[in-house]
Amino acid sequence: MLHRYESREALAEALATGVAAVLAGGIATNGSASLAVSGGSTPELFLQKLSAADLDWSAVTVTLVDERWVPEDHPRSNAGFLRRHLLRGPAAVAHFEPLYVPAETPDEVEETLCARLGGLGRPFDVVVLGMGTDGHTASFFPGGDTLGTAIDPANPRSVAIMRAPGAGEPRVTLTLSRLVDARLLVLHIEGAEKLGVLDAAKLPGSAFDLPIRAVLQAPRERPLEIFWAPLAGEQPSTAAADRT
């Protein structure tokens, strides 16, 4: 289901409101809720708005969809990004489960990470994915050395280690099977170029070429919710929230 918004601000407000409602429902039903979010520049405004939501944040566990193998004080750390934009204000009391622990390589602590992430409640209440112009989502990169395993819907493991030409550092990523059973699964993209990539991914083809296809094709009881807005200077959609 595609939700189009006229601006980044409108998208961020709507997405934050929707995510907060699902988290509140999880807390009311189960006493706790879980959220996995992406790094990068696209979700910055959404995360800032979500951080101010009126929730019992002490009952929320937050983790990342994926992480670069760098310490939290590194400028490319998704954990550092999350602390600056989400884990502040009311949301500062949420429990944060990082995907990086001090080690020379992620391979050394893969089993520890699998156990830690596998121990979180399943399914996640909310997962918010992003997408690059190369069609990657999470750290499912074209040419990734473990891409086949990471996007295998039958893979029971929670995390995979990924190295790929477009990834820069080694990455830790949640696996497809750990992501797509979320109660609310969102793909948050902005700009005409990414919308074009998404349209291409809906056509027949291999997930090894455009890994976002693995998410689009994964069997789910609930639809994937796609939130899109134009970048500054691009034409907005004709409707503030056009569902197709």
Side-chain angles (χ1 to χ4, degrees):
M1 184 174 290
L2 175 61
H3 309 264
R4 298 175 185 258
Y5 293 88
E6 292 185 342
S7 67
R8 297 183 68 242
E9 291 75 13
L11 185 158
E13 188 68 44
L15 183 53
T17 298
V19 168
V22 174
L23 294 177
I27 295 168
T29 302
N30 302 309
S32 62
S34 55
L35 167 67
V37 294
S38 302
S41 59
T42 299
E44 183 175 314
L45 187 57
F46 150 64
L47 293 175
Q48 291 170 358
K49 290 184 180 295
L50 181 60
S51 72
D54 183 16
L55 284 173
D56 179 5
W57 281 102
S58 65
V60 178
T61 295
V62 179
T63 193
L64 286 157
V65 167
D66 66 329
E67 178 62 283
R68 302 173 178 94
W69 199 249
V70 295
E72 191 173 308
D73 59 359
H74 191 283
R76 283 173 56 77
S77 166
N78 283 341
F81 169 83
L82 208 61
R83 290 201 186 276
R84 292 190 298 274
H85 298 292
L86 175 64
L87 301 175
R88 63 182 201 175
V93 297
H95 172 69
F96 176 50
E97 192 65 63
L99 295 184
Y100 173 87
V101 295
E104 187 69 23
T105 69
D107 312 79
E108 298 173 35
V109 291
E110 182 176 1
E111 294 306 319
T112 298
L113 292 170
C114 272
R116 185 178 293 179
L117 272 297
L120 297 182
R122 187 163 193 163
F124 286 113
D125 289 282
V126 181
V127 168
V128 182
L129 299 171
M131 186 190 73
T133 55
D134 61 354
H136 88 267
T137 188
S139 282
F140 308 153
F141 282 88
D145 60 348
T146 62
L147 180 59
T149 300
I151 64 174
D152 180 355
N155 179 7
R157 294 173 68 82
S158 295
V159 304
I161 310 303
M162 187 72 65
R163 293 173 174 86
E169 303 87 351
R171 305 276 187 119
V172 176
T173 184
L174 298 183
T175 57
L176 181 71
S177 63
R178 190 66 174 92
L179 294 168
V180 297
D181 63 354
R183 293 187 175 93
L184 173 63
L185 180 64
V186 172
L187 176 63
H188 174 189
I189 57 174
E190 296 176 1
E193 184 178 11
K194 288 188 178 181
L195 192 59
V197 172
L198 181 65
D199 287 341
K202 293 177 180 178
L203 300 174
S206 171
F208 287 89
D209 297 326
L210 291 174
I212 188 63
R213 282 193 176 115
V215 176
L216 296 176
Q217 296 169 359
R220 275 180 50 77
E221 294 181 4
R222 307 169 188 85
L224 170 68
E225 305 291 345
I226 303 168
F227 281 66
W228 177 84
L231 296 175
E234 294 180 343
Q235 279 292 328
S237 70
T238 55
D242 174 32
R243 302 185 179 192
T244 59

